[in-house]
Amino acid sequence: MALTMSDVARAAGVSVMTVSNVLNDRPRVGAATRERVLAVVAELGYEIDLTARRLRTGRTGTVALVVPRFDHQYYAELAALLATAFAENGHHLVVEQSNASRENELAAVSPARLRFYDGIVLSAVGLTAEDVTHLRGEVPLVLLGEQDLPEVVDHVMMANAEGARLATEHLLERGSRRIAVLGGARVGDVAGGIGPQRTAGWRAAHRARGLEPPEELVAPVSDHGSGGARGATTELFRRYPDVDAVFAVTDQLAVGALAALHDLGRRVPEEVRVIGFDNLDLLAQVPPGLSTVDPSNAWIVEQTVELLERRIADPAAPAVLRESPVRVVARGSTD
Amino acid sequence: MALTMSDVARAAGVSVMTVSNVLNDRPRVGAATRERVLAVVAELGYEIDLTARRLRTGRTGTVALVVPRFDHQYYAELAALLATAFAENGHHLVVEQSNASRENELAAVSPARLRFYDGIVLSAVGLTAEDVTHLRGEVPLVLLGEQDLPEVVDHVMMANAEGARLATEHLLERGSRRIAVLGGARVGDVAGGIGPQRTAGWRAAHRARGLEPPEELVAPVSDHGSGGARGATTELFRRYPDVDAVFAVTDQLAVGALAALHDLGRRVPEEVRVIGFDNLDLLAQVPPGLSTVDPSNAWIVEQTVELLERRIADPAAPAVLRESPVRVVARGSTD
DNA sequence: CTGAAAGCGCTAACAA
DNA sequence: TTGTTAGCGCTTTCAG
């Protein structure tokens, strides 16, 4: 059986309350008493029961990050950054997986689950606008993700269209004229999310130069893994052999494009330029070096922590939407 | 304020105890009463307070996985598999990060933290043999990782030496004779962990063919990111331009090797073959396709879940060590 | 089959 | 400065 506070109190010859006061650094405890209690705590190896404290105070010292998948490199890198940032604020971070399902995302912010945490950062992909309005005020929550959602909850997102515009402009500037959008959304597809927003940027870059965006080169993917992208790219080049650049809406898709181009014997960047979006650390090294759009993860993390800590402190604070700055990182794949 | 059980009890005109019985599927409740309670629960949207239950019963329904880093693809893929497997056993998985520090690994299995969880899967890299013996029996725990640790705690690991031997044999068989070990450990370095174990397999493969392992081609790395590997590989080829194959002790290091070889203008696999270890999904696609050793993650996950569930049920069960089967996955980088 | 009492380990509020 | 009382929301035990 684990030790309790009264074991410590008995051993130290004080009351339970005094032990509690010492352990919580509350001021009205004599120095000698404090010493004694701490000595006993150390000797016995007592550790406070956070469950009991939580039941009493409602605070846990822990915040959760809910991501669609653990094994998507983008979320993994985000989680690592958030863990460090929250640690600096005295919050412990745990990560849960929603499997990108609306049900799991809702469950993650349910009162039952929330009681484990002081706040939640939810990287949402399945949540609807309707769901979000019902969430309003229930829980200290910061939304992450590229969905268009009602501005009733704090939300940090990327400048998606702008990033896509910059990437496309980068390709146009180097002379590419038949630029495909891998993972793009066709005109009339549902709006919101990365596909549509980034495709909009691709269109904008063309129009800014007086060019008509080649809509036939919008190549949707069925899943966001690299495997699907490989197939989609192969098919794309079969139909349109004159494609001279691929803007993949994520780095993960870009990897699939690189694989397909290798299969097809098309050289990158000499024959086809490739650029991604996300600036994943792991892919910075992959030959010939993947050009990409950097979404400023450090900035995103900084804002997220600030907003969540603020909301924990003041649940009534007005909801804000913040958009991270983006920039192109040019590497070998667009030389 | 959130609803409590007595709110439900009052609304349903029964006692708190009856609500508890219904919600826990305990048998001695009349069908009509059960119906009524469930109806009220649904109508009010009541959710049980797991914190309070845990204080009373000691069970939380949650298990934790502690990994050194969220952003190492290997752990990310492992976490995703474990989440699914535990979900099938009615356990919710959360993931925490230890930053590969001994202190954090110990904190993660402390009684205080453990009280949040029914059990812990600890992917250990900093824990010492001494630490592990003190852990014995304190908590439902399964260790993961390639350290040599006392067999007093359930431990699932890979067949490291065997995998390395197979990878090296695969290279020898294709004609490579100057095979470097990137991330290897020199003779006399501390034993245990992936570097030494996998380097031992590289030696064994050479000796099995009557060849003396070229110890000068053992290339340690300072960090396990791809960046360090890139530098180490460049340096390696500067000193030993005749190296004709690289066995990287992890896929992540192999990516760095590929980058360096690209920088140096050495073609893979024509001039230099490259093989990794871990079989990361993300890298399966990277051109020319990274050959690797598959550590059977599905098997590892299956064993881990089985052992942890067993230990939760029976804390006194004898500790076991299980070693996952390995096999070479040949792709373009060793063609 | 249902309910009342007690208490898990802690801390807020107040009393000494 | 320290101790006492009460109770967070639930479940165990035992009585009805």
Side-chain angles (χ1 to χ4, degrees), chain A residues 282 286, chain B residues 73-74 77 182 194 198 224-226 229 247-258 274-284 290-295 329 331 333:
Chain A
L282 184 58
V286 167
Chain B
Q73 184 69 14
Y74 179 75
E77 292 183 10
L182 184 61
I194 58 176
R198 293 179 187 174
H224 271 260
S226 303
F247 164 46
V249 301
T250 68
D251 279 0
Q252 183 126 4
L253 295 180
V255 170
L258 290 177
V274 176
I275 190 165
F277 200 122
D278 282 345
N279 195 17
L280 299 185
D281 266 357
L282 185 57
L283 299 180
L290 180 64
S291 295
T292 189
V293 176
D294 178 11
V329 178
R331 299 205 185 94
S333 68

Side-chain angles (χ1 to χ4, degrees), chain B residues 12-324:
Chain B
V14 295
S15 79
V16 184
M17 215 34 242
T18 299
V19 177
S20 173
N21 285 330
V22 169
L23 260 32
N24 287 283
D25 270 324
R26 274 183 283 253
R28 347 83 167 297
V29 182
T33 315
R34 155 165 278 121
E35 286 302 303
R36 192 147 34 90
V37 169
L38 289 176
V40 172
V41 165
E43 184 191 328
L44 266 43
Y46 168 75
E47 294 187 75
I48 205 158
D49 185 330
L50 296 173
T51 300
R53 168 188 283 178
R54 142 63 207 124
L55 184 60
R56 197 58 247 239
T57 65
R59 286 294 166 92
T60 67
T62 303
V63 301
L65 167 68
V66 182
V67 297
R69 298 280 313 173
F70 291 134
D71 56 356
H72 280 21
Q73 184 69 14
Y74 179 75
Y75 302 118
E77 292 183 10
L78 187 74
L81 289 171
L82 274 174
T84 307
F86 275 118
E88 282 164 7
N89 282 266
H91 268 123
H92 184 70
L93 181 79
V94 309
V95 187
E96 307 193 3
Q97 177 171 268
S98 70
N99 262 309
S101 94
R102 171 170 168 266
E103 288 68 36
N104 288 334
E105 288 180 359
L106 281 174
V109 293
S110 71
R113 204 72 86 48
L114 188 80
R115 264 185 277 240
F116 286 166
Y117 307 116
D118 291 346
I120 293 194
V121 178
L122 176 60
S123 187
V125 304
L127 233 47
T128 66
E130 163 99 23
D131 294 331
V132 171
T133 57
H134 290 319
L135 250 45
R136 179 169 176 51
E138 278 201 22
V139 306
L141 171 69
V142 173
L143 244 34
L144 249 40
E146 315 315 317
Q147 311 304 115
D148 276 324
L149 294 171
E151 267 187 55
V152 292
V153 171
D154 294 321
H155 188 173
V156 181
M157 68 191 308
M158 305 174 187
N160 289 290
E162 173 64 5
R165 193 188 64 72
L166 290 173
T168 309
E169 169 56 26
H170 172 78
L171 295 169
L172 288 169
E173 194 178 286
R174 309 212 157 200
S176 302
R177 281 300 174 275
R178 295 285 292 162
I179 305 174
V181 207
L182 184 61
R186 301 215 172 89
V187 178
D189 283 4
V190 285
I194 58 176
Q197 294 188 32
R198 293 179 187 174
T199 307
W202 166 87
R203 290 195 185 96
H206 281 86
R207 299 219 170 95
R209 289 215 169 209
L211 301 168
E212 197 53 33
E215 295 290 341
E216 74 280 10
L217 301 187
V218 173
V221 293
S222 47
D223 78 299
H224 271 260
S226 303
R230 190 176 192 160
T233 305
T234 305
E235 173 62 13
L236 174 76
F237 275 82
R238 199 185 58 68
R239 296 187 58 187
Y240 305 103
D242 65 331
V243 166
D244 58 8
V246 175
F247 164 46
V249 301
T250 68
D251 279 0
Q252 183 126 4
L253 295 180
V255 170
L258 290 177
L261 291 167
H262 182 263
D263 295 342
L264 296 168
R266 302 285 195 117
R267 284 179 310 148
V268 175
E270 293 83 353
E271 299 172 57
V272 181
R273 294 190 180 88
V274 176
I275 190 165
F277 200 122
D278 282 345
N279 195 17
L280 299 185
D281 266 357
L282 185 57
L283 299 180
Q285 305 286 343
V286 166
L290 180 64
S291 295
T292 189
V293 176
D294 178 11
S296 307
N297 279 328
W299 188 94
I300 290 174
V301 163
E302 190 182 292
Q303 297 297 314
T304 302
V305 172
E306 182 187 317
L307 289 177
L308 190 63
E309 299 287 0
R310 186 194 63 150
R311 184 149 305 277
I312 290 170
D314 173 17
V320 302
L321 170 65
R322 297 201 178 149
E323 220 180 52
S324 78

